[in-house]
């Protein structure tokens, strides 16, 4: 019988293999981007690097139009911080970006840390994130005086939100911060109504009725709000919905009037066995739908499963 460490290693190898194989199926990935993506993969810790051989958490994202890709990993700081330091050194992280990481790390003392990498708009972006909840009061104190802080502060206070669920930071040119907050409410219907109002507040327009109905149909009160801040302004807002079947995601794309590439179901099934969450986002006049997949279990072991059965 395999040991816990052997099982964790096998899972880590499956994740890496799934991620690497998926790149060949994505036309947006140019050859020069492979170097950056491979470097990121190589600088994530493996179970032997982690305290008590803990597993590393991974999440992968594909845009519904296959024009966006994002990978993230996180875990115990004792395993991640040394590898992240090496990775960001190879990324030629600016002193100012390193100072932000140190400052926020000291302020929040996170228990779950990691890095991420993404490709969109013909560019490779990377950064770091904290995945354990943090008190809003601590996060608010980190921001200076700007429009985005006051907009977000008003929404948080009006809805009685006491913490953030995730903090993410990009490094390099046009860097940004992103916060994720849980949407209050005891039912999916109440949460989606609050999410729609948040879109109206931050983007000027609520969610389309068909989008709201599709989200409510999940029946799960597990919605989130992602707010991206750059140069003191809110530049993107995302509505995070719990995982749903791929055919429901296709319907959501249709409701939101965004592209759904017919190759997406096959890629999702090959990349992982479960859709963890779905995000409808707006950035100015642009809108998109992103599908987050748990790549921890290979779908190759389930060749007869229909893509529409992912959940």
């Amino acid at each position: 019988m395999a040991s816990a460490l052997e099982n964790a290693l096998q899972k880590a190898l499956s994740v890496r293999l799934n991620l690497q194989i998926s790149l060949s199926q994505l036309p947006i990935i140019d050859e020069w981007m492979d170097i950056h993506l491979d470097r990121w993969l190589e600088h994530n810790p493996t179970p032997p690097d982690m305290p008590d051989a803990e597993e590393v958490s991974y999440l992968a994202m594909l845009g519904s139009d296959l024009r966006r890709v994002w990978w993230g990993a996180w875990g115990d700081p004792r395993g991640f911080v040394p590898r992240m330091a090496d990775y960001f050194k190879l990324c030629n992280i600016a002193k100012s970006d390193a100072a932000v990481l140190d400052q926020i790390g000291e302020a929040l003392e996170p228990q779950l840390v990691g890095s991420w990498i993404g490709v969109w708009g013909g560019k490779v972006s990377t950064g770091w994130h904290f995945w354990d909840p943090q008190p809003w009061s601590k996060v608010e104190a980190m921001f200076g005086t700007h429009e985005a802080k006051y907009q977000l502060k008003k929404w948080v206070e009006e809805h009685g939100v006491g913490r953030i669920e995730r903090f993410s930071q990009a490094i390099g040119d046009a860097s940004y911060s992103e916060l994720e907050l849980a949407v209050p409410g005891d039912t999916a219907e109440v949460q989606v109504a609050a999410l729609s109002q948040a879109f109206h507040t931050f983007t000027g327009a609520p969610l389309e009725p068909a989008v709201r109905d599709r989200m409510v149909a999940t029946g799960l009160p597990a919605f989130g709000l992602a707010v991206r801040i750059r140069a003191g302004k809110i530049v993107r807002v995302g509505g995070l919905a719990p995982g749903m079947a791929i055919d429901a995601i296709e319907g959501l794309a249709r409701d939101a009037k965004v592209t759904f590439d017919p190759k997406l179901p096959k890629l999702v099934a090959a990349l992982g066995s479960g859709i963890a969450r779905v995000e409808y986002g707006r950035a100015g006049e642009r809108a998109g739908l992103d599908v987050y997949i748990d790549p921890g279990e290979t779908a190759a072991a389930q060749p007869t499963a229909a893509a529409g059965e992912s959940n």
Side-chain angles (χ1 to χ4, degrees):
M1 182 178 292
S3 68
L5 177 57
E6 289 172 332
N7 288 334
L9 275 171
Q10 184 60 46
K11 182 176 180 179
L13 289 172
S14 295
V15 168
R16 178 167 179 163
L17 184 61
N18 282 1
L19 292 173
Q20 288 178 316
I21 290 175
S22 71
L23 295 179
S24 64
Q25 307 299 315
L26 297 167
I28 65 165
I29 304 297
D30 293 329
E31 187 174 348
W32 67 268
M33 297 174 178
D34 285 342
I35 299 171
H36 298 275
L37 292 159
D38 284 342
R39 176 192 296 162
W40 180 83
L41 279 172
E42 291 167 359
H43 284 83
N44 281 312
T46 58
D49 301 317
M50 300 294 287
D52 303 318
E54 294 175 6
E55 290 185 3
V56 172
S57 296
Y58 282 90
L59 198 62
M61 179 275 280
L62 293 172
S64 67
D65 56 1
L66 299 185
R67 306 299 300 172
R68 295 173 303 284
V69 179
W70 178 96
W71 297 345
W74 63 93
D76 192 300
R78 291 172 292 174
F80 262 88
V81 169
R83 303 305 299 271
M84 288 169 61
D86 291 341
Y87 169 67
F88 288 131
K89 185 177 181 180
L90 289 174
C91 293
N92 295 317
I93 187 172
K95 290 183 179 179
S96 57
D97 285 330
V100 169
L101 174 54
D102 291 341
Q103 177 186 358
I104 296 179
E106 290 176 3
L108 299 183
E109 298 181 333
Q111 301 303 304
L112 294 172
V113 308
S115 63
W116 59 266
I117 190 167
V119 176
W120 47 78
K123 298 180 180 179
V124 176
S125 300
T126 193
W128 49 268
H129 46 199
F130 301 156
W131 275 80
D132 49 331
Q134 298 286 342
W136 164 251
S137 57
K138 279 190 174 183
V139 176
E140 180 190 358
M142 298 186 318
F143 287 103
T145 302
H146 52 61
E147 177 186 352
K149 172 182 175 177
Y150 289 118
Q151 286 180 290
L152 198 54
K153 176 181 172 68
K154 185 172 185 292
W155 187 88
V156 164
E157 291 178 347
E158 286 178 350
H159 291 82
V161 176
R163 72 184 199 186
I164 68 165
E165 306 301 315
R166 169 180 59 88
F167 184 91
S168 181
Q169 179 72 35
I171 66 172
D173 296 337
S175 62
Y176 59 82
S177 304
E178 186 168 288
L179 292 78
E180 179 182 333
L181 305 110
V183 177
D186 295 329
T187 66
E189 187 172 10
V190 171
Q191 288 191 359
V192 171
L195 185 63
S196 182
Q197 183 58 45
F199 268 77
H200 184 272
T201 298
F202 296 125
T203 74
L207 296 174
E208 292 288 338
V211 171
R212 294 202 301 268
D213 291 345
R214 185 79 62 174
M215 288 182 168
V216 169
T218 65
L220 298 173
F223 288 83
L225 175 70
V227 179
R228 184 174 297 178
I229 300 169
R230 179 186 289 125
K233 295 186 179 298
I234 294 175
V235 296
R236 182 183 183 277
V237 176
L240 293 154
M244 56 182 74
I246 196 71
D247 55 347
I249 293 172
E250 184 174 7
L252 182 58
R254 188 168 53 249
D255 298 335
K257 300 178 177 62
V258 300
T259 301
F260 183 93
D261 193 292
K263 295 187 293 294
L264 180 66
K266 183 178 179 180
L267 285 170
V268 167
L271 189 54
S273 64
I275 296 174
R277 61 203 323 200
V278 181
E279 181 177 17
Y280 169 69
R282 284 188 199 153
E285 298 298 317
R286 301 186 306 277
L289 193 64
D290 296 329
V291 181
Y292 288 86
I293 307 112
D294 175 7
E297 297 292 342
T298 176
Q302 305 159 9
T304 60
E309 292 174 356
S310 300
N311 51 50

